[in-house]
Amino acid sequence: MRGETTEALRRDAIGLREVLFQSITAMAPAAAVAASIPSGAAFSGGSLPLAVLIALVACLFTASCVAELARELPSAGSVATYAARGLHPAVGFLVGWAYVFVEMLVPPLLLLQLGFTAAGTLHAEWSRYPADLWWPWPLAGAAVIAVAGCLGVRASARFGTALGVFEILVFLVFALLLIGKAGSANTLSVFGTSHTADGYSGAAGVFAGSVYTVLAFAGFEAAAPLAEETRDPRRTMHRAVLGAALGIGLFYVLTTYAMTVYFGPDRFARFGASGEASWEGIARASFGLFWVLVFLAVVNSAIANANACANVSTRTAFALARVRVLPRFLATLHPRYRSPVAGVAVQTAVAVGAVLGLGLGYGPVTAFVLLATVIVTVVVGVYMIVNLSCAGHFLRAGRASLKPLRHLMFPVLGIAAFVPALLTAAGLPVFSFVTELTAPVSYAGPVVGVWMALGVIVLLVLIRRHPDRIAETARVHLDEHDPASPHTDGAVPR
């Protein structure tokens, strides 16, 4: 497919609805409800709704910081640009280097989940289907996502919107059915500390559960890299990032409450991601063929999340390639659809390579956990740096723009909220509930370390040979096309 190198993504291609669902689907709400959030039940037990509510409040601090920066600095570089402006261009480069890496790993992560979920379910229903024939499903998913990405942001975002609406509706209807079936068992006591799991009594159990639940919120910032393709980006980005974090957070609270009161708060500690005591298990046992919709929603969620994160990785890579801190060919756009076709090709190759290489080497479930550990460790670190960047940017902007609560207090609280999550994701046994990682999942730390070491080497070479390129990571290209922007001078901190 012939492409051309240019610096202009398609302007005004999408609006609030598509951008909102870009963040929503990047959070994978159905998969999070069915698989991620139940991991907190082992600690919070029937008090898991309270743990989810606490995690929502904690994540809103960082979501507020991202939203503020997205409004000020609408750029395809998103978190890299924020760090470059708020802290230093060199920090911006390293953030971008890390963010592109992990966002390219998210699609294979979700495609692995698609593979073992589909294969496991088909084998359970039809024993003749081989349980280990999981790999065709990720390959089919990768092809669909690649086609959507090549057709441009409008096609990709609308595809994600349709998928996101379906998965949310399925779980909302299921949650309302559960609440109705629970009847007199509905209780607000699940928002207290009286139902925590054995060995994790009171606030300690709720805290442990909330740490695991925080990780289900990752992805709320995914709207930001689409800024240059969005109508009225300053207003739209702010609303999309905050709206996704708040809306899906409340969705998590409602669905977790519904299952807790239906299943029983005092026995909820044994609830999990699979088996009879799971969302699909309950659907099978009590709601007939409704389990098929739950299964399809989880599969749908995996595809939607992979699609959204492919948009993030290709746009961030495009932004860094445009200023020549990544290979220039990644800034190649399709002449008609203005999609970053070179980035889509690289993303697809990485996805297929990681799925087949790791999945066939370690098994799809182990490969999933390994990739998840790499991704969460880096993403949580990026969130913490973005919080610092928010404070740095508005301190530099002057008193007129600085709002102490929003631009200083929220960043501090956001960093504090993510420290336990970072330690947990990395398997550092600082808290009693953290499980130390074993091989091959323990390889995640060295993988991240090697990648970041390579980034430092590239940074030093660029500083020596092309320091202007590093400075360009702070450039907001959209401002050059917006005469009303307060940043049209193109100045960047050095």
Side-chain angles (χ1 to χ4, degrees):
M1 181 179 293
R2 186 175 62 85
E4 63 179 10
T5 300
T6 179
E7 292 196 356
L9 293 161
R10 173 165 285 172
R11 306 293 191 211
D12 301 328
I14 53 176
L16 176 61
R17 180 186 61 191
E18 293 88 355
V19 177
L20 176 64
F21 273 91
Q22 164 72 8
S23 277
I24 286 175
T25 53
M27 296 171 74
V33 168
S36 299
I37 292 176
S39 64
F43 310 101
S44 295
S47 295
L48 188 59
L50 174 61
V52 174
L53 185 61
I54 292 172
L56 167 60
V57 173
C59 287
L60 283 175
F61 295 131
T62 298
S64 173
C65 292
V66 174
E68 289 291 299
L69 290 168
R71 179 166 56 189
E72 287 280 310
L73 307 169
S75 170
S78 64
V79 295
T81 305
Y82 308 157
R85 283 287 184 116
L87 298 175
H88 191 277
V91 179
F93 167 79
L94 290 175
V95 167
W97 177 267
Y99 196 60
V100 168
F101 175 59
V102 296
E103 289 298 326
M104 281 199 171
L105 294 180
V106 174
L109 171 82
L110 274 300
L111 292 173
L112 284 165
Q113 183 180 26
L114 169 64
F116 63 69
T117 300
T121 301
L122 289 173
H123 177 71
E125 291 301 306
W126 299 285
S127 58
R128 290 185 178 181
Y129 186 92
D132 58 354
L133 188 59
W134 57 269
W135 55 267
W137 303 101
L139 295 183
V144 170
I145 293 164
V147 170
C150 287
L151 291 177
V153 71
R154 186 172 294 157
S156 182
R158 288 178 178 174
F159 176 57
T161 299
L163 295 177
V165 168
F166 173 75
E167 64 181 286
I168 290 172
L169 282 178
V170 169
F171 273 84
L172 277 179
V173 170
F174 196 7
L176 295 176
L177 288 173
L178 291 170
I179 291 171
K181 288 272 190 179
S184 60
N186 280 282
T187 174
L188 293 179
S189 66
V190 296
F191 292 101
T193 61
S194 60
H195 301 293
T196 53
D198 293 340
Y200 297 95
S201 61
V206 173
F207 172 73
S210 69
V211 169
Y212 281 87
T213 303
V214 160
L215 305 180
F217 285 81
F220 57 78
E221 84 292 350
L226 304 189
E228 295 178 25
E229 300 161 281
T230 302
R231 294 186 292 275
D232 191 10
R234 297 181 188 281
R235 184 166 176 259
T236 302
M237 289 297 112
H238 188 270
R239 294 169 67 187
V241 171
L242 274 182
L246 178 59
I248 295 304
L250 294 176
F251 170 80
Y252 289 162
V253 173
L254 174 65
T255 51
T256 305
Y257 168 82
M259 184 55 79
T260 304
V261 295
Y262 178 83
F263 189 82
D266 293 327
R267 60 194 188 101
F268 201 69
R270 66 184 182 87
F271 193 83
S274 61
E276 294 182 0
S278 69
W279 279 86
E280 185 178 320
I282 295 298
R284 283 177 178 271
S286 305
F287 295 89
L289 288 177
F290 196 87
W291 76 267
V292 176
L293 289 177
V294 173
F295 163 69
L296 290 176
V298 173
V299 167
N300 168 104
S301 189
I303 297 173
N305 191 347
N307 176 70
C309 291
N311 285 336
V312 172
S313 69
T314 54
R315 269 63 184 182
T316 307
F318 164 83
L320 295 177
R322 178 172 55 187
V323 297
R324 294 177 295 169
V325 296
L326 287 185
R328 182 68 173 173
F329 79 93
L330 290 172
T332 301
L333 300 181
H334 189 279
R336 177 182 175 187
Y337 299 114
R338 315 302 291 171
S339 57
V341 286
V344 171
V346 171
Q347 172 66 82
T348 304
V350 169
V352 172
V355 164
L356 296 181
L358 296 176
L360 295 176
Y362 296 120
V365 176
T366 300
F368 175 89
V369 177
L370 170 59
L371 286 179
T373 304
V374 171
I375 292 164
V376 172
T377 301
V378 175
V379 167
V380 170
V382 168
Y383 286 164
M384 295 170 72
I385 293 174
V386 169
N387 279 304
L388 279 176
S389 302
C390 180
H393 173 76
F394 285 99
L395 283 170
R396 287 178 171 178
R399 287 178 175 263
S401 301
L402 181 66
K403 296 178 175 61
L405 178 64
R406 196 181 305 172
H407 302 147
L408 298 179
M409 182 61 72
F410 282 6
V412 171
L413 293 174
I415 292 170
F418 275 111
V419 168
L422 179 63
L423 296 172
T424 301
L428 300 176
V430 175
F431 303 106
S432 61
F433 55 81
V434 176
T435 303
E436 192 170 355
L437 303 180
T438 57
V441 178
S442 60
Y443 302 159
V447 167
V448 173
V450 168
W451 180 256
M452 294 311 299
L454 287 174
V456 171
I457 293 171
V458 173
L459 173 64
L460 293 175
V461 171
L462 287 171
I463 288 175
R464 182 173 180 178
R465 297 183 179 179
H466 307 285
D468 56 312
R469 296 184 187 179
I470 296 299
E472 285 282 288
T473 58
R475 182 178 170 189
V476 180
H477 291 255
L478 196 61
D479 287 341
E480 297 163 12
H481 303 274
D482 180 9
S485 169
H487 308 291
T488 50
D489 58 359
V492 296
R494 296 181 182 273

